[in-house]
Amino acid sequence: MTISLYDFKNLPNQTQSDLVINQGRIMNERVLNTLKYVLYEISCFSVEVIYNNENGKIEGMNVFQNKAAYSN
């Protein structure tokens, strides 16, 4: 799937999380206390989804531009 960072950020939160979980590729994950951090790659950017292990809900998301995609 190809979507720009700008278009992604303009999607509703629920659509963003659905897109990342269903279309993203897991790059890394770690557990810290009651939170699980999962880093997904989607298109030309990455999204970190923070899950609450106690209730299984998403606590937050952080979006990062992949700078290597633009270097020559």
Side-chain angles (χ1 to χ4, degrees):
M1 149 153 253
T2 303
I3 185 171
S4 72
L5 179 63
Y6 176 81
D7 290 338
F8 179 81
K9 285 187 169 186
N10 285 316
L11 294 172
N13 288 344
Q14 183 64 47
T15 305
Q16 285 181 1
S17 60
D18 290 344
L19 185 67
V20 168
I21 292 166
N22 295 317
Q23 302 289 324
R25 183 173 68 129
I26 295 177
M27 302 300 291
N28 196 6
E29 60 183 80
R30 72 177 195 265
V31 176
L32 189 60
N33 297 322
T34 61
L35 299 177
K36 179 166 113 175
Y37 298 81
V38 182
L39 184 64
Y40 294 88
E41 181 182 59
I42 183 163
S43 196
C44 59
F45 56 94
S46 299
V47 179
E48 179 184 56
V49 180
I50 305 165
Y51 298 95
N52 183 319
N53 281 335
E54 293 179 343
N55 62 20
K57 294 188 178 183
I58 294 175
E59 292 290 322
M61 290 194 328
N62 298 309
V63 182
F64 305 99
Q65 181 175 337
N66 292 348
K67 297 200 184 293
Y70 301 103
S71 65
N72 291 332

